[in-house]
């Protein structure tokens, strides 16, 4: 590792002494399952029809596979706390990496306070009871701050929540699929072979969601210096969890399509509605208008599944917060942000200040979105999901090419794992990220071109029909503010960048 340029600030060198090695191979695998298998967008993909499965497999080969190879090399060759922040810094410099990292970090409170909270609240209302008025805000706040508590705990304790989340996913999806088989044997299924025919309209509508659900490989590397053996465990965990993630994501989409007619699948509650329908095999019925009533054992199964789904989306948010907050704290301690946010707790080894700020931001996003959309949860879901994807993917536009740049810039660094054809491995996921960003900013671009069928306006997200300007502003204005915040953070980190590594510890304390 001596060949790697070592220009971390004295402040980070002091803060890293609070880290504890408690991240093992099994923990990394569970972490990845929670990061990769997002339950909040299963309905969105299913609502696009059976071709979603075709594009799911297509992207598994041309995006997910090279992306996994890319992170396996970077994570094992540059095993520093902060993961993608450090890779981008080594490739493009501290300023670029710092602004990039703010976008990566902000996507998590937007996602947690937005899509995950609304899925959790919607699931509760479908299986338990409605939450009128202020009760909906209270429920969302409870959901967010339970996650905050888990993130604040020492990693050796907090890491168990992603493990519980990984188990909950396997049990929930396994139970759902078994129930689908029983339901299909009794009532038949809705799929036909010709329904799987792919189209460009379907591709542009699905790629942002599918690619977003295929990202997260780099997340464990944000805690690389808390791993016991990152150079060995990172490639191994990526290989195992990658295969399992494709199965766990594709199977419930297929199950949803089998039991619900296309017109009955909503992007927000599609998977939840499918769960309710199939659990009628244990007690209950589906009315002629599609409404579902669960009774007896069916009602019990539904409530258990609802709790499992809520745990699943909560652990997704916790996992991403653990990783994103750590990387942001490293960036701040390294002079790419305000020193105040670069503090790691000596007791817990976690970046408590960034953790709390993230939770506050998640709460603000939740309240603001409910107020702005006046309770239109579908519009809220679409706008916030698009923004969460955009902020994440802008950061990947630099993180992914880091593989190729560092191969040329630091060829002498020992690489326990080397990706084949580094240029192609870096180019493929970068291409899909750029394509996704274009489709998020201007949905439907290319639809109707070169003889293709369809109306570009039909690609606008649910809740924004005939309101392209409104959707465009919902994406561009927050993105501009995020970039501006990244620049401001870098300016505020100026005193930290002047902190020399040779300073004694009391000097570091005095500068706080």
């Amino acid at each position: 590792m001596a060949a790697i340029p070592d220009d971390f600030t004295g402040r980070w060198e002091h803060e890293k002494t609070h880290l504890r090695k408690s991240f093992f191979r099994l923990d990394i695998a569970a972490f990845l399952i929670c990061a990769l298998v997002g339950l909040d967008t299963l309905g969105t993909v299913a609502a696009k029809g059976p071709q979603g499965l075709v594009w799911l497999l297509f992207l598994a080969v041309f995006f997910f596979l090279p992306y996994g190879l890319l992170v396996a090399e970077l994570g094992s060759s540059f095993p520093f706390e902060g993961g993608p922040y450090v890779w981008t810094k080594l490739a493009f410099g501290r300023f670029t990496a710092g602004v990039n990292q703010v976008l990566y970090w902000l996507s998590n409170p937007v996602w947690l306070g937005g899509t995950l909270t609304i899925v959790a609240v919607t699931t509760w209302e479908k299986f338990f009871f409605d939450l009128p008025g202020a009760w909906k805000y209270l429920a969302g706040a409870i959901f967010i701050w339970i996650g905050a508590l888990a993130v604040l705990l020492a990693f050796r304790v907090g890491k168990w929540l992603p493990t519980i989340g990984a188990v909950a996913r396997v049990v929930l999806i396994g139970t759902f699929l078994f129930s689908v088989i029983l339901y299909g044997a009794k009532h038949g299924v809705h799929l036909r072979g010709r329904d799987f025919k792919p189209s460009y309209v379907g591709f542009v509508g699905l790629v942002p969601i599918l690619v977003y659900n295929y990202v997260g490989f780099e997340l464990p590397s944000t805690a690389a210096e808390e791993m016991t053996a990152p150079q060995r465990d990172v490639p191994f965990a990526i290989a195992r969890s990658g295969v399992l993630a494709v199965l766990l994501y594709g199977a419930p989409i297929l199950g949803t399509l089998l039991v619900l007619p296309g017109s009955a699948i909503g992007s927000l509650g599609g998977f939840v509605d499918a769960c309710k329908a199939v659990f009628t095999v244990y007690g209950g019925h589906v009315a002629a208008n599609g409404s579902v009533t669960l009774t007896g054992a069916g009602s019990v199964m539904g409530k258990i599944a609802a709790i499992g789904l809520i745990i699943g989306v909560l652990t997704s948010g916790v996992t991403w917060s653990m990783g994103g907050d750590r990387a942001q704290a490293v960036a701040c301690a390294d002079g790419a942000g305000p020193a105040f946010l670069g503090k790691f707790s000596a007791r817990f080894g976690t970046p408590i200040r960034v953790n709390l700020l993230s939770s506050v931001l998640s709460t603000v996003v939740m309240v603001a979105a409910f107020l702005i959309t006046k309770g239109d949860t579908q519009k809220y879901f679409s706008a916030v999901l698009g923004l969460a994807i955009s902020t994440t993917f802008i950061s990947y536009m630099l993180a992914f090419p880091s593989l190729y740049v560092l191969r040329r810039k630091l060829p002498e660094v020992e690489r326990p794992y080397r990706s084949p054809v580094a240029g192609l491995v870096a180019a493929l996921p970068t291409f899909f990220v750029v394509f996704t960003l274009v489709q998020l900013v201007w949905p439907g671009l290319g639809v109707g071109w070169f003889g293709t069928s369809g109306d570009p306006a039909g690609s606008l997200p649910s809740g924004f029909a005939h309101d392209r300007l409104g959707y465009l502003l919902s994406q561009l204005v927050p993105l501009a503010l995020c970039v501006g915040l990244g620049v401001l953070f870098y300016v505020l980190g100026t005193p930290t960048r002047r902190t020399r590594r040779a300073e004694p510890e009391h000097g570091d304390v005095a500068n706080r």
Side-chain angles (χ1 to χ4, degrees), residues 142-442:
I142 291 173
F143 176 81
I144 290 169
W145 285 93
I146 287 176
L149 178 61
V151 175
L152 290 172
L153 294 172
F155 201 73
R156 66 180 181 276
V157 178
K159 69 180 182 180
W160 285 105
L161 195 58
T163 301
I164 293 171
V167 173
R169 280 164 171 75
V170 173
V171 172
L172 172 64
I173 293 173
T175 302
F176 172 70
L177 293 178
F178 177 74
S179 303
V180 165
I181 294 172
L182 298 180
Y183 186 89
K186 183 177 180 179
H187 299 285
V189 296
H190 295 276
L191 284 182
R192 297 165 297 179
R194 64 175 180 270
D195 295 333
F196 288 87
K197 182 179 179 180
S199 68
Y200 180 73
V201 174
F203 180 68
V204 300
L206 282 164
V207 163
I209 306 301
L210 291 175
V211 173
Y212 185 60
N213 278 279
Y214 271 152
V215 297
F217 273 140
E218 76 288 345
L219 212 58
S221 291
T222 60
E225 294 181 60
E226 297 169 77
M227 295 180 185
T228 54
Q231 294 178 309
R232 178 195 65 199
D233 291 345
V234 168
F236 180 87
I238 285 175
R240 294 294 179 88
S241 60
V243 174
L244 187 57
V246 174
L247 295 175
L248 289 176
Y249 192 57
I253 294 172
L254 175 60
T256 301
L257 292 167
L258 286 171
V259 300
L260 292 181
S263 59
I265 302 176
S267 60
L268 174 56
F271 179 59
V272 179
D273 292 334
C275 285
K276 289 191 71 173
V278 299
F279 289 150
T280 58
V281 298
Y282 307 111
H285 65 276
V286 180
N289 62 1
S291 62
V292 178
T293 301
L294 294 175
T295 59
S299 179
V300 174
M301 288 290 293
K303 288 178 170 56
I304 293 173
I307 297 299
L309 182 58
I310 292 171
I311 291 174
V313 295
L314 174 64
T315 52
S316 287
V318 167
T319 302
W320 277 90
S321 294
M322 284 181 172
D325 290 357
R326 272 173 168 73
Q328 186 58 49
V330 171
C332 290
D334 190 42
F340 176 81
L341 296 177
K343 173 69 176 175
F344 277 70
S345 167
R347 179 181 178 184
F348 298 111
T350 55
I352 290 179
R353 294 172 181 176
V354 176
N355 295 154
L356 290 174
L357 180 58
S358 293
S359 299
V360 170
L361 290 174
S362 294
T363 307
V364 171
V365 169
M366 176 200 68
V367 173
F370 270 128
L371 290 174
I372 292 171
T373 58
K374 296 180 175 61
D376 185 347
T377 54
Q378 184 61 68
K379 191 171 186 177
Y380 169 23
F381 181 80
S382 301
V384 179
L385 179 60
L387 180 59
I389 298 175
S390 298
T391 49
T392 305
F393 279 22
I394 289 176
S395 69
Y396 285 142
M397 287 175 61
L398 292 175
F400 288 170
S402 296
L403 172 72
Y404 183 72
V405 174
L406 291 176
R407 276 280 191 97
R408 299 174 65 86
K409 190 175 181 179
L410 300 173
E412 67 278 11
V413 171
E414 180 185 355
R415 288 168 168 80
Y417 170 81
R418 293 179 68 89
S419 301
V421 198
L424 183 63
V425 165
L428 279 173
T430 303
F431 166 77
F432 283 110
V433 162
V434 173
F435 183 84
T436 296
L437 283 170
V438 171
Q439 290 299 329
L440 284 170
V441 173
W442 197 267

